[in-house]
C-alpha cells in the first residue's frame, strides 16, 4: 500500500507480523472510547480500514479530526482481539498524536448509518458521504472496471481516440445540450449524445480499431437509472463481421467482471432476437430465472373457445405453486397489467387435481386441458397465465408478466450476460406514411440472407444489429453499418426516404463515405449501469462521485445557477421572462 | 497484428518468411502502375503499411478504392526488391480482388504531399487526412501516451474518478463555456475549466489518491498552442509533501516518454525558481542549450559607467562568435526587444583582441573589461549583451534574449525535463490596493521556513508550488494546498482579502474543509502539448483527431451552427440582434 512522507502504513494494513514496529498512520478519527488509567481508544480510519490507537485521554481529538499518529504496534490484550476486523489482532500504543486539522461535527455519521439519510443531504455533503466504506468501494470498483476495459481494448490493438465535446447540433434523437458560441453570433455547439458520427469517420480515416470511454450528454428527464452525463465504452472496427465485434466487446466485459468479482464468467451466450421473444417475451431477457413462455398455439389449433380461436400466437406462463396465492383481486390486477401491456385479455388457470379452476375452464376440451398441462409440465397448485393475440403482443405481454412475477432486482447476482442478435431491420410502421420504421438506425446492415425480402416481406428482414444484456438490462447495442451506397439506397427506399431527403439529412455523414468507407461495425455500452450492477447497487448515483439529483441539480455546488449578465451579453443572449 | 474474419494479415506485416502462404489483405488502393502482360501493380495500404499486389489489369481498382485482395505471397523478382519498405522483399500474386467500396478521387493526395495542403482543407476532409501515415502515427502516439500515463498512476494506487462536465459557473479565471438549463429558468451550467474544486473535495472525501485524464474547456481565443478543449492529467494526493507529488508525476511523464521514444529519460532534475531566474532568466528554462546568464553585479560594484552604477542586478549573455554577424541594424533590433521586454536599455560588447568594440567601451575601466571577459569566458569574436536593472527585469530581459537567440523549436529533441520548485508565494503588487498578488492561487501552501516573512518581506516568501517544464515549455503546474484555517487566513490577510470576502468568494470551496481536510497537494499537466512534443509536431492540432480551427469552427461538421428556434424556446433564450 501507499506510504508517503507523512505515513509508513495505511489504516487497514497492520497485522501481527508488524508487532514491535514503530509506525505512522494518518487518517480521520472514528470512534473514541475513554479507557481507564487516563487512556482513550481511538479508531483511526482511512479508505483501507481502521486501526485502534491507544492515546492519552488529555489529547483533544474528536470525530472526523484529521490526525497523524505515531506509535508502536502491539498485540491487543487477551480478550480484546476483534476477529471481525482485519487489523483486530493489534493496536498502536505509546502514541504521539499530531492534529493536522480539526473538524466540525459532521451532519450525519460517516459510516453505514448514513445509508438511511435523505439522499439530498448525502449529495449536499458528498465529500463526507464519499468517506464511507461503501462509497470508497464503489469508486474503486468503477476505477477498476475502467482500467480492465481499457486494457482489454488495448490488448486487442484498439486505438484510443478522443472525439470532441463541442460538436454540431443534430436535432434528431434525444434532446441535446447546447453551448452558445461567443465568436459566431447566434451559433451554438452541442454536447455529444454519442461519438457515433466521429467514430464512423475514424473508420473512413483508416483507424481500423477505435475505442474511447466517452462522456455523453443528453438533456432528458432524469430517473434513478439515468443522468444527464453518462460514460460509455464506445468502439468501432473495420473489415469485420458481427462475430469480430462481439468477440472484442466480450473480452472487455468479461475482463471488467473478473476485475470486480474475481471470477471470470463463461463465454457469453448468443441468442437470436426471435428466440428471446419466443422464450422470454422480451428482447432483453433476464436469464437468472426460469418461467420461460410455453408455446400453445398448436394445442388450441382447433379450439372452440372463442378468445383463442384464430389467434396468431397462444403462449402460456406458469407460476409454480402460486394458485393459492392469487385471489380474485390479484388476478384482476394481473389482467389489468396484461391489458395495459397491449393484450385484449388474460386467461388464468389454476391447476387442480382434476383440471383447471378458471372462469374459462368450461370452454376447454378435456384434450386441451391435458395438452396444456403436458406442455407446461403443470402440477397441482400451479398458476397458468395464457395470452392469445398476434405473435408480438402475445410475447410482449407474457414477457412483461414474467418479469413482474419473477425478476430479482437487476443488481443481485448471479450475473447472466447474453448477446441478442438478428434484431429486425424494421419495427412497426409509421402511421402517417405507412412505411416501416428502422429498428436500430437507418445505417444498419441488413442480414445478407434477407435482402430479397425487402419488397415481399420487409418486416421479416433481419439486421446485423445486436444488444448486450445483463440480468435483463440492456447494457448496450451496436451493429454492422452499411458501407456501400446501393444497399443504403435500398434501405432508404424501404423507409420512404427520398434521395433529396437523404442528402439533406444525412449528407454530412454519408458524403465522407464516398471517399472510400471500409466495411465496419461497432458497439457502445453504458459503464454506469455495468459498474452499478457489479457493485451490487440499484441506483447508478451510488457509483458516480458527483451525480445530479433527479431535478438535474447538484446540492453541493448548487449548479445550475444564474450567471453574470455580462457573460450573457458576451454570448448575445437574453433570458426570456418566465411564463407561468 | 489484428486479423479479422475478412483478412489474415495487415498490409505492413508480410515478410519473406510468409512466402508461399495464401493471404487475404484489406485496405485502400494507393499507387497503381500498369505492368506488361496484362498485369498491374497495386500498393494496398492500411495503417500498418503497404503491400505490393499484382493484379489483372482488367480489374477496375483506382486510388482509394476499398478492396480485399486474396493471393499468394511470393518473392519479388530479382532487381525489384524495395529495401526502403518493410514488406519490400515480397509481393502478393495470383490475386483475387474484391471491391468493397468504390471511391471518389480524393481532393488531395493521401500521403506526405498533403502536408503542403491548406490546413482548412485538411480539416474539412479530416477523414482523408487521418488516413495518412503521419496522422495515424500521431493518433497512435497519443493513445500510447494516455495508456502509459494511466498505467503509471494505477501502479501507484491512484483511483480514477470522473468529475462532472456540467459544473457551477465560477466567473473567476479564464472565460468559461455556458450550458443553459432547460429545467431551471434562466440558470446555466458551465463546462469545467479544470476539476480543481472536485479533486480537492475528493481529498476531503478520503479518496487519498485521485487521477483523471480530464477534458477541460476554456472559451479563450485560439492559437497554435491552444484549443477550446484540452486534455490534462489531473491528480491529487493526501498526506503528502512536495516530493511525494513530484515523484508520482515523474513516473507518469517518464513512462509516457518511454512509451513513445523507447528510451526512458533519466530522473527529472529539480531547480528552484530563483536558480532558474538567475541562470536562465525565465521560470520555464529550456535546458537544451547553454547561453546561461553570467552574474556581473560585483564586477561593476564600483563602476563609473552611469548606466550600470547602482543597478540592483547586472548580468551578461554571451553569443559565441556572433560579433561579426550583428551589424548596427540587428543590434538596434536587439535593443528594441530588450526595451519591449522591460529594460531601460541594452549594452552590447563585441570582443576584440584588445578589448571591446562598443559605444560604451570608453566608459569601462581596464579592470572591468578584464573582469567581464574572465567572468564570461569571452573569446575574440563573441558578442556580449548586458542588462543592468532591478533583479527581476535584468533576469527576464536576458532570458527573453537568450530564448530568442538560442532556442530550438520546442518539439525538436533532445527532451529536457526539469521541475521548477519554490515559486514565490506572491508576485507583483496590485496597483489599486497596493497588496501583493498570489503567484499560483490563494490556496497555495507557503514554504514553512518563510512564514515569519509574511509581514517583514512578503515578496521573499516562497511557496510549495512547482511547475514541470519540457524544452522550455510549461507542461503543467501544481502545489501543496493549505488545509488548515489559520494559515489560510494569514494568506488571505496578506492578499487583502477580508473574512467576509473570503466567505463569499471561496465559501463553496473552504466550507467543506471545516469537516476535516487532510494535508494534500496535486498537479495537472497538459497532454496535448506533451504528445505533440513527443510526436515531433509543432502544432497541437496535428495530434488531435478533430480539432477546431483558430476561429473555433470545425470545417468538417460546420460546428457551431444556428439551431432550431424551438430548441432555444425550450431554453427560454433569445439571440439578440447583431450589433456591428
Amino acid at each position: 500500500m501507499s506510504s508517503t512522507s507523512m505515513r509508513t502504513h495505511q489504516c487497514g494494513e497492520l497485522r501481527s507480523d508488524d508487532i514491535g514496529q514503530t509506525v505512522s498512520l494518518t487518517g480521520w478519527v472514528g470512534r473514541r472510547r475513554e479507557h481507564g488509567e487516563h487512556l482513550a481508544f481511538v479508531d483511526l480510519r482511512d479508505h483501507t480500514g481502521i486501526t485502534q490507537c491507544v492515546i492519552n485521554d488529555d489529547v483533544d481529538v474528536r470525530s472526523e479530526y484529521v490526525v497523524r499518529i505515531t506509535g508502536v504496534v502491539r498485540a491487543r490484550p487477551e480478550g480484546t482481539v476483534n476477529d471481525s476486523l482485519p487489523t483486530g489482532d493489534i493496536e498502536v500504543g505509546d502514541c504521539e498524536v499530531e492534529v493536522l486539522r480539526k473538524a466540525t461535527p459532521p451532519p450525519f455519521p460517516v459510516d453505514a448509518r448514513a445509508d438511511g439519510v435523505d439522499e439530498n443531504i448525502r449529495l449536499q455533503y458528498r465529500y463526507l458521504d464519499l468517506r464511507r466504506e461503501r462509497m470508497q468501494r464503489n469508486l474503486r470498483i468503477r476505477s477498476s472496471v475502467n482500467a480492465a476495459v481499457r486494457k482489454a481494448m488495448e490488448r486487442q490493438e484498439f486505438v484510443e481516440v478522443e472525439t470532441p465535446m463541442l460538436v454540431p447540433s443534430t436535432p434528431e434523437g434525444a434532446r441535446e445540450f447546447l453551448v452558445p458560441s461567443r465568436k459566431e453570433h447566434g451559433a451554438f455547439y452541442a454536447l455529444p449524445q454519442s461519438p457515433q458520427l466521429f467514430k464512423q469517420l475514424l473508420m473512413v480515416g483508416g483507424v481500423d480499431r477505435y475505442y474511447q470511454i466517452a462522456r455523453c450528454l443528453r438533456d432528458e428527464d432524469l430517473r434513478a437509472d439515468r443522468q444527464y452525463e453518462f460514460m460509455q465504452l464506445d468502439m468501432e472496427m473495420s473489415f469485420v463481421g458481427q462475430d469480430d465485434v462481439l468477440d472484442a466487446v466480450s473480452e472487455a466485459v468479461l475482463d471488467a467482471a473478473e476485475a470486480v468479482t474475481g471470477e471470470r464468467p463463461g463465454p457469453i451466450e448468443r441468442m437470436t432476437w426471435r428466440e428471446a421473444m419466443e422464450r422470454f417475451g422480451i428482447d432483453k431477457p433476464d436469464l437468472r430465472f426460469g418461467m420461460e413462455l410455453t408455446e400453445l398455439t398448436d394445442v388450441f389449433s382447433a379450439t372452440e373457445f372463442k378468445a383463442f380461436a384464430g389467434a396468431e400466437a397462444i403462449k402460456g406462463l406458469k407460476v409454480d405453486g402460486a394458485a393459492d396465492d392469487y385471489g380474485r383481486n390479484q388476478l384482476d390486477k394481473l389482467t389489468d397489467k396484461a391489458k395495459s401491456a397491449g393484450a385484449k385479455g388474460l386467461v388464468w388457470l389454476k391447476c387442480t387435481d382434476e383440471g383447471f379452476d378458471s372462469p374459462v375452464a368450461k370452454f376447454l376440451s378435456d384434450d386441451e386441458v391435458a395438452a396444456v398441462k403436458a406442455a407446461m409440465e403443470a402440477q397441482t397448485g400451479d398458476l397458468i397465465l395464457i395470452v392469445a393475440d398476434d405473435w408480438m403482443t402475445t410475447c410482449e405481454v407474457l414477457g412483461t408478466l414474467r418479469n413482474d412475477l419473477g425478476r430479482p432486482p437487476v443488481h443481485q447476482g448471479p450475473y447472466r450476460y447474453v448477446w441478442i442478435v438478428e434484431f429486425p431491420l424494421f419495427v412497426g410502421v409509421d402511421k402517417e406514411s405507412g412505411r416501416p420504421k428502422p429498428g436500430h438506425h437507418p445505417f444498419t446492415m441488413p442480414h445478407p440472407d434477407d435482402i430479397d425480402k425487402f419488397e415481399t416481406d420487409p418486416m421479416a428482414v433481419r439486421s446485423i444489429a445486436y444488444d448486450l444484456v445483463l440480468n435483463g438490462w440492456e447494457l448496450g447495442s451496436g451493429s454492422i453499418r452499411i458501407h456501400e451506397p446501393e444497399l443504403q439506397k435500398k434501405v432508404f427506399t424501404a423507409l420512404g426516404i427520398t434521395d433529396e431527403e437523404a442528402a439533406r439529412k444525412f449528407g454530412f455523414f454519408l458524403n465522407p463515405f464516398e471517399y472510400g468507407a471500409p466495411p465496419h461495425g461497432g458497439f457502445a455500452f453504458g459503464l454506469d449501469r455495468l459498474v452499478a450492477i457489479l457493485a451490487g447497487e440499484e441506483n447508478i448515483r451510488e457509483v458516480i462521485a458527483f451525480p445530479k439529483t433527479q431535478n438535474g441539480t447538484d446540492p453541493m455546488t448548487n449548479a445550475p445557477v444564474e450567471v453574470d449578465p455580462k457573460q450573457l451579453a458576451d454570448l448575445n443572449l437574453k433570458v426570456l421572462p418566465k411564463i407561468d
Side-chain angles (χ1 to χ4, degrees), chain A:
Chain A
M1 301 196 196
S2 319
S3 66
T4 71
S5 54
M6 294 187 71
R7 67 186 178 214
T8 59
H9 293 78
Q10 288 187 267
C11 295
E13 197 176 359
L14 295 170
R15 299 287 184 275
S16 299
D17 285 353
D18 301 302
I19 287 170
Q21 272 201 62
T22 299
V23 299
S24 290
L25 301 176
T26 54
W28 286 261
V29 172
R31 279 206 307 168
R32 175 191 173 125
R33 284 144 294 155
E34 303 308 316
H35 188 60
E37 305 167 61
H38 307 295
L39 293 175
F41 288 139
V42 156
D43 283 343
L44 188 62
R45 188 195 69 231
D46 66 19
H47 74 92
T48 66
I50 65 175
T51 298
Q52 177 169 291
C53 300
V54 185
I55 66 169
N56 282 324
D57 69 355
D58 60 355
V59 178
D60 179 25
V61 298
R62 307 181 195 181
S63 188
E64 301 307 315
Y65 273 33
V66 185
V67 298
R68 178 170 186 254
I69 293 182
T70 300
V72 179
V73 185
R74 63 192 192 197
R76 290 201 191 190
E78 230 171 299
T80 67
V81 166
N82 182 346
D83 288 334
S84 65
L85 207 63
T87 61
D89 287 332
I90 58 92
E91 63 187 17
V92 176
D94 301 327
C95 288
E96 200 177 303
V97 180
E98 183 185 354
V99 174
L100 300 169
R101 166 88 200 207
K102 292 180 182 179
T104 301
F108 50 78
V110 184
D111 57 30
R113 285 171 288 172
D115 290 340
V117 171
D118 176 65
E119 196 192 2
N120 276 335
I121 303 292
R122 286 177 55 208
L123 292 179
Q124 184 184 346
Y125 297 94
R126 190 61 156 183
Y127 43 88
L128 292 177
D129 192 34
L130 290 178
R131 268 185 214 162
R132 303 188 304 127
E133 189 183 348
R134 172 187 176 193
M135 303 309 285
Q136 287 289 328
R137 179 177 161 272
N138 288 352
L139 289 184
R140 283 158 212 273
I141 284 176
R142 182 164 194 132
S143 181
S144 67
V145 166
N146 281 357
V149 164
R150 289 202 190 94
K151 268 175 213 147
M153 301 311 283
E154 283 155 19
R155 192 175 65 233
Q156 300 179 91
E157 300 190 19
F158 284 78
V159 182
E160 182 187 16
V161 181
E162 292 138 355
T163 54
M165 291 303 293
L166 298 176
V167 304
S169 168
T170 49
E172 315 273 318
R175 199 187 278 114
E176 62 198 359
F177 284 103
L178 295 181
V179 182
S181 162
R182 185 173 49 89
K183 291 194 95 171
E184 298 270 327
H185 179 262
F188 292 79
Y189 303 95
L191 297 177
Q193 301 188 28
S194 88
Q196 189 71 31
L197 166 65
F198 293 101
K199 74 173 174 175
Q200 293 197 237
L201 294 185
L202 287 172
M203 296 302 104
V204 178
V207 169
D208 202 68
R209 298 189 168 199
Y210 145 86
Y211 93 95
Q212 181 183 203
I213 293 187
R215 180 95 53 150
C216 306
L217 295 103
R218 290 188 191 161
D219 185 8
E220 294 191 323
D221 293 329
L222 304 185
R223 304 189 302 244
D225 54 28
R226 189 176 280 171
Q227 285 272 306
Y228 285 150
E229 314 181 28
F230 56 97
M231 306 299 293
Q232 68 181 32
L233 172 77
D234 193 51
M235 60 85 80
E236 193 82 13
M237 54 200 304
S238 291
F239 301 110
V240 293
Q242 171 182 287
D243 284 353
D244 297 297
V245 179
L246 267 48
D247 288 347
V249 175
S250 294
E251 281 293 296
V253 172
L254 296 178
D255 282 8
E258 190 177 2
V260 178
T261 65
E263 268 176 52
R264 192 175 184 79
I268 301 179
E269 185 177 342
R270 296 178 192 187
M271 188 184 290
T272 65
W273 174 84
R274 178 128 205 129
E275 181 181 347
M277 294 303 293
E278 291 278 11
R279 289 174 55 193
F280 303 98
I282 192 166
D283 59 3
K284 43 186 178 185
D286 189 335
L287 306 187
R288 286 176 299 171
F289 66 106
M291 296 178 67
E292 294 192 22
L293 314 190
T294 302
E295 179 55 48
L296 298 175
T297 317
D298 286 348
V299 168
F300 294 107
S301 59
T303 190
E304 296 189 3
F305 178 36
K306 281 189 185 159
F308 286 0
E312 184 185 32
I314 305 175
K315 283 172 174 285
L317 173 70
K318 185 180 65 172
V319 194
D320 287 340
D324 290 345
D325 303 340
Y326 282 76
R328 197 62 196 226
N329 207 2
Q330 286 99 320
L331 290 165
D332 285 350
K333 277 188 187 156
L334 281 183
T335 305
D336 289 346
K337 196 161 273 178
K339 285 181 178 167
S340 70
K344 286 186 284 289
L346 177 72
V347 165
W348 56 264
L349 311 168
K350 290 181 173 179
C351 298
T352 64
D353 289 341
E354 291 77 41
F356 290 132
D357 168 11
S358 167
V360 310
K362 56 180 175 280
F363 302 117
L364 306 182
S365 70
D366 289 350
D367 282 356
E368 285 168 347
V369 169
V372 167
K373 281 197 169 184
M376 303 204 65
E377 299 177 10
Q379 313 260 327
T380 295
D382 290 349
L383 174 69
I384 291 172
L385 306 172
I386 299 180
V387 172
D389 217 308
D390 64 81
W391 178 79
M392 185 72 103
T393 303
T394 296
C395 294
E396 285 183 344
V397 170
L398 286 174
T400 302
L401 294 179
R402 174 180 176 270
N403 269 354
D404 276 357
L405 297 172
R407 188 170 173 226
V410 62
H411 57 292
Q412 285 180 7
Y415 303 118
R416 289 295 303 273
Y417 300 84
V418 57
W419 283 107
I420 307 299
V421 300
E422 297 183 11
F423 272 76
L425 189 64
F426 305 113
V427 285
V429 166
D430 188 83
K431 276 175 192 153
E432 277 180 42
S433 67
R435 298 275 192 175
K437 294 188 292 186
H440 190 59
H441 59 55
F443 315 111
T444 305
M445 181 72 86
H447 197 292
D449 296 347
D450 297 349
I451 301 289
D452 56 0
K453 295 185 189 148
F454 263 74
E455 283 80 32
T456 55
D457 188 6
M459 302 314 283
V461 176
R462 291 164 297 168
S463 70
I464 312 191
Y466 32 81
D467 278 4
L468 179 60
V469 173
L470 167 57
N471 291 3
W473 184 273
E474 183 205 313
L475 279 184
S477 65
S479 63
I480 300 296
R481 332 294 186 182
I482 298 171
H483 69 278
E484 46 103 7
E486 293 76 19
L487 193 55
Q488 185 65 68
K489 195 178 152 103
K490 202 173 167 76
V491 171
F492 281 154
T493 303
L495 293 169
I497 297 172
T498 64
D499 287 359
E500 183 277 325
E501 187 184 353
R504 179 167 45 79
K505 277 171 109 168
F506 306 120
F508 67 97
F509 187 69
L510 295 175
N511 293 345
F513 282 29
E514 294 294 318
Y515 294 97
H520 62 287
F523 196 75
F525 70 82
L527 281 161
D528 302 274
R529 177 55 58 183
L530 176 62
V531 171
I533 294 175
L534 291 174
E537 291 286 0
E538 185 165 12
N539 187 324
I540 57 170
R541 290 193 294 271
E542 303 295 356
V543 297
I544 297 171
F546 301 104
K548 302 285 189 291
T549 65
Q550 294 202 33
N551 289 325
T553 59
D554 176 356
M556 187 181 77
T557 63
N558 289 324
V561 292
E562 286 185 26
V563 296
D564 194 319
K566 204 194 150 306
Q567 287 178 279
L568 292 188
D570 273 357
L571 300 170
N572 297 297
L573 285 181
K574 179 183 155 70
V575 174
L576 297 172
K578 191 166 188 174
I579 299 161
D580 287 319

